[in-house]
Amino acid sequence: MASILIFEKWETAGITVQDQGLVKYISLKPTATLHSGGRYANKFMGKATMNIVERLINNLMRTVRWTGKKQSAYRTVKEAFEEIERRTKENPVQVFVNAVQNSGPREEITRLKYGGIAVPKSVDTSSSRRLDLAIRNISAGARETAKKSKKNMYVALADEIIAAAKNDPNCHSIKDKEDTERQAASAR
């Protein structure tokens, strides 16, 4: 029996997740289509069972320009993964998993109220939220890059994923992570 591949091209069996906090939340379960149709929306920890590539596709559809355009987001991610494979000669799903691991903040700030004063307090970020923020920042960085320059969206997304996988401090998602952690360190 043939195995199920992501975009009918890439295997998920050999992909490793080094970050032990994210192992439970990064789902690499192979699915024939990356469209669950909200199947996990109202289930406890439902997002943890959704394929991580589908979560990237869904996160691309956050702005007004992309709302409801799942097929366009699907095609963009597929082309971005082809670009990543062409440039890095690695499995693009593994590169994306590495990017997510590198761009998730470990600490962030919450506001505590003492009387009428709001005081920032540093807190550890849960693994689920780290994953959500990482995917959100990667897709936001790709959107910003595509808007500022004349790059196609798939090229901007490929650039952002490759830069985040290499832990490049000039990429949007890594900058946002470091900024969040710096604010949290000052609020300790």
Side-chain angles (χ1 to χ4, degrees):
M1 181 173 164
S3 64
I4 299 173
L5 306 174
I6 300 289
F7 295 120
E8 299 172 358
K9 292 184 177 188
W10 297 291
E11 184 71 44
T12 59
I15 294 173
T16 58
V17 180
Q18 271 79 30
D19 192 334
Q20 292 302 310
L22 295 176
V23 168
K24 235 174 22 176
Y25 299 97
I26 294 179
S27 173
L28 296 167
K29 179 179 66 175
T31 56
T33 60
L34 294 170
H35 180 68
S36 61
R39 186 175 309 131
Y40 306 112
N42 295 324
K43 293 183 181 168
F44 179 71
M45 296 290 290
K47 289 190 293 188
T49 59
M50 186 186 303
N51 190 298
I52 190 163
V53 179
E54 182 181 352
R55 290 182 70 177
L56 175 65
I57 292 169
N58 292 343
N59 256 284
L60 283 178
M61 298 189 301
R62 279 185 176 264
T63 60
V64 174
R65 183 176 179 270
W66 285 81
T67 301
K69 297 184 179 178
K70 182 110 180 192
Q71 194 61 39
S72 296
Y74 185 91
R75 187 173 44 254
T76 299
V77 172
K78 182 177 180 179
E79 290 171 352
F81 276 23
E82 289 168 353
E83 182 77 12
I84 290 168
E85 184 181 43
R86 188 181 61 75
R87 283 199 225 162
T88 64
K89 306 288 190 258
E90 295 177 37
N91 186 341
V93 181
Q94 178 67 58
V95 174
F96 176 58
V97 167
N98 293 342
V100 165
Q101 291 177 77
N102 290 339
S103 60
R106 299 186 192 297
E107 281 188 299
E108 57 187 338
I109 294 177
T110 188
R111 294 176 122 12
L112 298 177
K113 286 237 176 189
Y114 293 120
I117 302 169
V119 178
K121 175 76 172 138
S122 175
V123 293
D124 291 338
T125 307
S126 72
S127 299
S128 176
R129 181 159 168 81
R130 275 184 63 205
L131 183 62
D132 290 343
L133 288 173
I135 294 172
R136 184 182 313 159
N137 290 338
I138 288 171
S139 60
R143 274 194 302 271
E144 276 184 30
T145 305
K147 191 187 322 182
K148 286 181 182 176
S149 66
K150 294 291 180 187
K151 282 185 184 177
N152 286 332
M153 181 65 178
Y154 76 91
V155 175
L157 183 61
D159 289 344
E160 184 72 25
I161 291 172
I162 291 171
K166 292 179 180 175
N167 225 346
D168 181 14
N170 294 327
C171 109
H172 177 270
S173 54
I174 300 296
K175 273 185 193 173
D176 201 41
K177 170 197 167 188
E178 289 174 353
D179 185 41
T180 303
E181 288 178 346
R182 185 172 37 255
Q183 288 175 357
S186 67
R188 272 191 214 135

